[in-house]
Amino acid sequence: MKRSLIDILDLSVAELDELIATACDIIENPAKYAHVCAGKKLATLFFEPSTRTRLSFEAAMYELGGNVLGFAGAQSSSAAKGESVADTAKTVSCYADIIAMRHPKEGAALVAANNASIPVINAGDGGHCHPTQTLADLLTIYREKGGFHHLTIGLCGDLKFGRTVHSLIGAMSRYTGIRFVLISPSELRIPDYVKEDVLDKKGIPYEEVTDLEAAIPELDILYMTRVQRERFFNEEDYLRLKDSYILDLKKLTNAKNDLCVMHPLPRVNEISVAVDNDPRACYFKQVLNGKYMRMALILKLLKEAGTI
Amino acid sequence: MNIDSTVRTGIVIDHITAGRAMLLYELLGLENEQGAVAIIKNVQSRKMGKKDIIKVDTERKLNLDIIGYVDPGATVNVIRDGKLIEKKSISMPETLTDVIFCKNPRCITSVEQELSHVFRLTDKQNKVYRCLYCETQAKQ
């Protein structure tokens, strides 16, 4: 049966475990998976710019032995002529076996999924959801920490518009012993609905702070985010807030030795380049883990659709 | 229906929370009603203290989902020839389609005009409805 992935919470904890197990098996035995998608096509429909996510999906499909078609900007698609997302999804369903779609508008992936006859993976719909980034984050946490329980997770930067942060909170709040430290300027605090609907409802402890340096010593994971220009209507607000939190080696002095520093990338300047060589820097491992999880996800959805 | 008379054949929406009648009037599209419509505000009520009532002097179909969304405690009475023939039960609908509209400028519904505006009940206790697409909370 055709199934899509719009929100990370579309996947049960058991399904996440299954995806992580598949990804780990892919890492151990890449040859076993090198031809499983032979003759199958992934359509990458990217209505807004992306380096990592699009290339990650493409690399994932190639490493599964499949092929890729698509576009990398609304201007190079029929969207420039005014074609609806629904029509694009119906059309692409005639050419490909699975779709990965990024669109600047929130909910666009759901519209595509409701109209496509093939599985749709949400590769980011505006500030709403970005489930495959969360899959990359989860595999990174799993590989670095050995599991998902009893962790203090610091989320830093743009917690208001940061879709990866909202998805990660949703996913991690399903495990026991999780505590969040939400580090942001007051203008970019986590939205009330995330606090009320997820954290408060599940009784998950959290605190909202503004001082990154003071919060670091207690953290097992520090998830940094970029203050994104494209999420602001007002350029002045962006310029005022973009440098709010910058992680450097000095701030890491009091951090735990096994702290895991994560970032969905791209970074601008919120993590000093000097941190890259610190063993606690895990953000490029996240990129690689993202490809493995996308491979596992493509496999799962194509299997469920009966395509492979 | 005169100013002081009861409905002979039509609908009475009773037990509306005081102050909500105008919102119901708007969402039910009663401004397009050709027959007589009475909005009675702040009526004394033993149960509620104050309540609003809407009387419609024609037997017309009402979208009960709208009433359930605005005021699930309201009651709908169908009157024919001066007699109460049916009391309709009202509950909060699980989904609302094209009743209220998403105001989030980042939502896909803001650019794709043919899409229905669908809201889902996500928190019954607090009466929270969210846009199906972007999850923005509806504000009453």
Side-chain angles (χ1 to χ4, degrees), chain B residues 11-13 62 64 67 74-78 86-88 90:
Chain B
I11 291 157
V12 176
I13 309 172
L62 289 178
L64 297 184
I67 302 172
T75 53
V76 175
N77 304 300
V78 181
E86 191 184 357
K87 233 178 174 32
K88 291 184 187 285
I90 302 296

Side-chain angles (χ1 to χ4, degrees), chain A residues 20-130:
Chain A
I20 285 168
T22 305
C24 290
D25 196 44
I26 290 169
I27 294 166
E28 293 293 316
N29 307 292
K32 191 171 126 187
Y33 295 88
H35 304 289
V36 282
C37 287
K40 304 302 170 195
K41 284 169 282 185
L42 165 75
T44 52
L45 314 183
F46 277 64
F47 293 84
E48 69 172 6
S50 157
T51 307
R52 226 162 324 278
T53 309
R54 183 170 61 83
L55 295 185
S56 177
F57 268 110
E58 294 185 0
M61 193 56 173
Y62 284 128
E63 289 191 28
L64 291 168
N67 293 303
V68 178
L69 68 167
F71 53 82
Q75 290 313 309
S76 53
S77 77
S78 281
K81 300 177 196 164
E83 186 176 58
S84 67
V85 169
D87 283 0
T88 303
K90 285 175 189 163
T91 303
V92 173
S93 297
C94 301
Y95 305 138
D97 300 287
I98 188 166
I99 291 171
M101 188 178 103
R102 170 167 290 187
H103 196 283
K105 290 293 179 185
E106 299 175 10
L110 180 60
V111 174
N114 288 344
N115 287 279
S117 58
I118 58 177
V120 173
I121 301 171
N122 183 4
D125 58 341
H128 183 223
C129 291
H130 191 2

Side-chain angles (χ1 to χ4, degrees), chain B residues 28-130:
Chain B
L28 288 170
L30 292 176
E31 73 271 22
N32 301 319
E33 178 62 46
Q34 297 302 308
V37 178
I39 298 172
I40 309 168
K41 295 182 71 174
N42 298 325
V43 180
Q44 290 297 321
S45 162
R46 259 186 302 166
K47 268 192 204 163
M48 303 169 72
K50 279 181 179 179
K51 66 176 181 178
D52 291 355
I53 301 171
I54 296 176
K55 296 181 179 183
V56 185
D57 212 12
T58 47
E59 206 174 325
R60 76 192 307 270
K61 271 196 167 178
L62 289 178
N63 184 340
L64 297 184
D65 284 353
I66 294 175
I67 302 172
Y69 165 66
V70 174
D71 200 351
T75 53
V76 175
N77 304 300
V78 181
I79 315 288
R80 199 171 294 152
D81 300 325
K83 288 182 184 157
L84 174 67
I85 60 157
E86 191 184 357
K87 233 178 174 32
K88 291 184 187 285
S89 60
I90 302 296
S91 59
M92 291 173 77
E94 289 299 317
T95 59
L96 282 170
T97 302
D98 290 333
V99 172
I100 48 175
F101 297 91
C102 186
K103 295 189 172 72
N104 174 10
R106 298 182 179 91
C107 181
I108 186 71
T109 57
S110 71
V111 289
E112 302 227 338
Q113 308 298 325
E114 82 288 355
L115 280 175
S116 284
H117 286 239
V118 182
F119 280 75
R120 281 183 310 172
L121 179 62
T122 56
D123 183 345
K124 196 168 184 176
Q125 200 179 348
N126 296 308
K127 282 185 69 180
V128 175
Y129 282 87
R130 292 193 184 280

